[in-house]
Amino acid sequence: MKIERKHMISILGLLLAGCGALLVAKIIGMSGIKNTFLTSFFGVLIGFVCRELFKKSVKHIQDLEGIQIKNLREKNKKLLKEKDELQNKTSLKIINAGSAAVIISLSISKKIEKKIAENKNQTVVNLFLLSEKKSLLISKFIAMILLMLGVLAMIWLDLGPTCLLPGGILYCLLEFKERILTYRVVNGFFGANAAEALALIKFIHENIDDIGNNSDGGKRKILNDEIKPQPESASLPSEVQHG
Amino acid sequence: MADMDLVTKRINAALNIVLFSYPKRTSFGLLIGFVPLILIHTFKSNIEAKGISIDWLHYLACELIGVLLMNLKSIYEAFEGSSIDEAFSNTLKSIEKNTTLSNQEKRELITKTLAAQIDSLSTDQVEKVQKQIIEK
């Protein structure tokens, strides 16, 4: 039962609108105004505003993500173009200016190649992490709504502070999961066991259109390189080692 | 020093179990489960008048039912599985269970298997697109 993103955003927006409407209606009621029409009107109005604001902020986040991906692609294209131009210039300078110019051009070309390699580090695992982070962000938002509903239930229905537990525990678990996942990906641990490799292949299967190839036409790197701690002996000076 | 790969792997696996591998579905489940919880609490006196006592266990059951409802697809998938997943998981498990391979070798093999899987999926997709174009 996969809920589409836009539907989920609408549901969340409606929930938020409901919460906002209830809260405003309660505040108006507490201020002593007994007019039902006025209370309902302002409640619905504020709820509607809350919903629109939420939808706009979600759209803003989506736009930002889109811009980031676009920038990355443009950067890659630009770097490749610069590299090609430099290579052309290099061949011209061989004829015109001699070996000195060639050396300078080659060193710049190497720097650009290094930059391209850095951009290639946007691995499949990193994309998986990005997708998971997005999913966890939505889940955390739901946990916040749950927490908010818990507070409202505690105030109005005398449910007791235990009703805050589902939202609170869920939020903590989600935060912890995000941190653990980020740690594993950053250190190159992620994807090297059966369960995680399966999760990765599922992700690849779902998003094959986006991650089939790298932006420069080559195959995208799959796993991050494992960061290994330096052995103590390597940091010692050679004299000590001999001694 | 503790093997952080192993420690974080275990924690991640435990979190996956708690969150049913799908945090979004589970969160929604808890949110949905909160609705009957509120309803039960609101009509608590009416229900108790019929001789049914309501305690925290009922509230917990509401949340659990919500989570289970939202994870029905995950449960179905766990039983059913897909041919690609199964073939792939068999390969991965045979690599992991192999005692003659070192950890580094296992890692390399898993990476190669993943790369092969990506290649095969890309080819499949191209074939699908080709078929679609021919059919049209």
Side-chain angles (χ1 to χ4, degrees), chain A residues 43-60:
Chain A
V44 170
L45 187 76
I46 298 293
F48 183 73
V49 171
C50 283
R51 183 169 177 252
E52 286 307 308
L53 281 174
F54 170 71
K55 275 175 97 174
K56 272 192 180 171
S57 42
V58 170
K59 200 174 177 295
H60 179 67

Side-chain angles (χ1 to χ4, degrees), chain A residues 1 157 177 188 201 209 224, chain B residues 16 41 73 107 117 125:
Chain A
M1 196 163 62
L157 301 169
K177 184 172 170 60
I201 208 71
D209 286 337
N224 284 345
Chain B
N16 273 342
H41 185 77
K73 198 192 171 189
R107 187 185 157 86
Q117 186 73 5
Q125 206 192 27

Side-chain angles (χ1 to χ4, degrees), chain A residues 102-125:
Chain A
V102 176
I103 291 161
I104 294 163
S105 302
L106 278 174
S107 68
I108 298 165
S109 180
K110 270 181 188 172
K111 274 181 189 172
I112 291 168
E113 271 178 7
K114 205 180 167 188
K115 271 188 185 177
I116 293 169
E118 277 170 14
N119 273 342
K120 273 185 190 173
N121 279 341
Q122 186 74 17
T123 56
V124 174
V125 181

Side-chain angles (χ1 to χ4, degrees), chain A residues 24-50:
Chain A
V24 169
K26 184 77 182 171
I27 290 165
I28 292 173
M30 277 163 76
S31 66
I33 301 165
K34 301 287 176 193
N35 191 328
T36 322
F37 174 74
L38 205 71
T39 315
S40 316
F41 177 75
F42 277 107
V44 170
L45 187 76
I46 298 293
F48 183 73
V49 171
C50 283

Side-chain angles (χ1 to χ4, degrees), chain A residues 62-76:
Chain A
Q62 283 174 343
D63 288 346
L64 276 177
E65 281 168 3
I67 290 165
Q68 269 185 346
I69 292 165
K70 206 180 161 187
N71 282 346
L72 204 74
R73 279 180 187 161
E74 275 174 7
K75 211 174 164 186
N76 264 332

